[in-house]
Amino acid sequence: MKLSVQIIIGLILGIIVGIVLNLFAADLFETLDKFVFGPVGTIFLNLIKMLVVPIVFFSIALGAAGIGDPKKLGRIGGKTIGYFLITTTVAIVIGLGLAYLIQPGAGGGFDTQGQANFKAEEAPPVVDTLLNIIPTNPIDAMAKGDMLQIIAFAIFVGFAVAVLGEKTKGVRRLLEEGNDILMYLVNIVMILAPYGAFALIASAVGSFGLDALQAMGLYFGTVLLALLLHAIITYGTAVSTLGKMNPLKFFKSFAPAMSVAFSTSSSSGTLPVSMKTAQENLNVPKQISSFVQPLGATINMDGTAIMQGVATVFIAQVYAVDLSLTQLITVVLTAVLASIGTAGVPGVGLIMLAMVLKQVGLPVEAIGLVLGVDRLLDMTRTAVNITGDASCAVIVAKSEEKHGGAPQKTPDLDI
Ligand code: ASP
């Protein structure tokens, strides 16, 4: 059976087991979560996390070395960042639009008093994140897993390798072989993916259950619908017009990576798998995938931006605050910045929501209102986040063909 089918079966079984245990056997769930779901999920997560820092460094350095010519590097970088910014803006606009249409917070009955106890974590200022892109100590950046800093250092190293050419061919081979080793390890770790997906989902659904969903149904549904529309319309159109690829093929070929993102709620954690899937199933040349996807997993979070847009309007509705047009534009701008500053790990989008709320003068404690369903939404938005990166990789690859980039084959569906 294909791995992607196995992962999806794992996900469905996990959801069913989680719901059944939550409804009928809460005690049994606690034991199973402690001794089975928790440990299996953690082992799987740690195995992929183990590969993230080396993969980001090796692949970006190799990608930059492969692109070589600074002009080409600048062109690809410009297209990538341009695409990220435009799609993230579209994402928030879809989120805001749907939130106004559906009015998830207008129904009343929300306990705003109870939220006073919620202590919001301080969101890191985005300016700091941007200023800190250049690491003063690259080894420290790797030890801390600071992706933007690792990316910056890797681009410098790759650039030097490209410029020094013959002189550094040993290092280039080292990067290539290192990359091969890491990709091989991804394959091995992925054998565990169906079990990891099962355990992670069973644990999430089992502990949050359907109660949370009932109270927050409309908010949950609005975010979900916005995510779906953004994926289908924005990515579908971009992939078919700019990437000249059948959108159905795109989504189907990329499904294995989406299901891993769904179960891990981490763009960074899924990176090894999403790069492999884009290179093998979507035929994105390694050079481009290794540059676009790690960058995307770090700074491009359309799904997160959608959640932040909907959550802001939802909270404004619950508190009966009318947001002015200027405030809405502020939401768009802050959510784009927040998307750049959001780390690709579980739950950070919610912390960054604090920044958006603060910017428009809404109470930060109101995050407590959306907390209950966020674990489930995090899974879905992470899948959208990495799909956006992959769609960018497909489009950049296509547009580079006319500059003599490696031609793309039509993807086959044998995944
Ligand atoms: N979990 C998301 C990701 O890794 C970030 C977030 O929205 O919390 O892409």
Side-chain angles (χ1 to χ4, degrees), residues 265-268 301 304 342-350 378 381-382 385:
S265 293
S266 168
S267 300
S268 296
M301 312 262 168
T304 305
T342 304
V345 289
V348 185
L350 205 64
D378 197 5
R381 66 176 182 256
T382 307
N385 287 345

Side-chain angles (χ1 to χ4, degrees), residues 40-122:
V40 173
T42 308
I43 290 173
F44 174 61
L45 273 182
N46 288 354
L47 279 170
I48 25 185
K49 280 189 195 157
M50 164 181 89
L51 301 172
V52 172
V53 169
I55 280 197
V56 170
F57 177 74
F58 275 90
S59 66
I60 292 226
L62 195 60
I67 295 172
D69 167 16
K71 239 170 71 195
K72 190 171 174 194
L73 195 59
R75 192 177 62 228
I76 294 184
K79 282 184 210 168
T80 304
I81 292 173
Y83 180 85
F84 287 164
L85 290 178
I86 294 172
T87 48
T88 308
T89 310
V90 173
I92 311 167
V93 173
I94 293 179
L96 290 176
L98 273 187
Y100 271 101
L101 209 69
I102 300 177
Q103 309 249 338
F110 295 102
D111 169 22
T112 47
Q113 245 51 46
Q115 306 312 323
N117 300 330
F118 176 75
K119 277 234 76 36
E121 266 183 72
E122 194 64 32

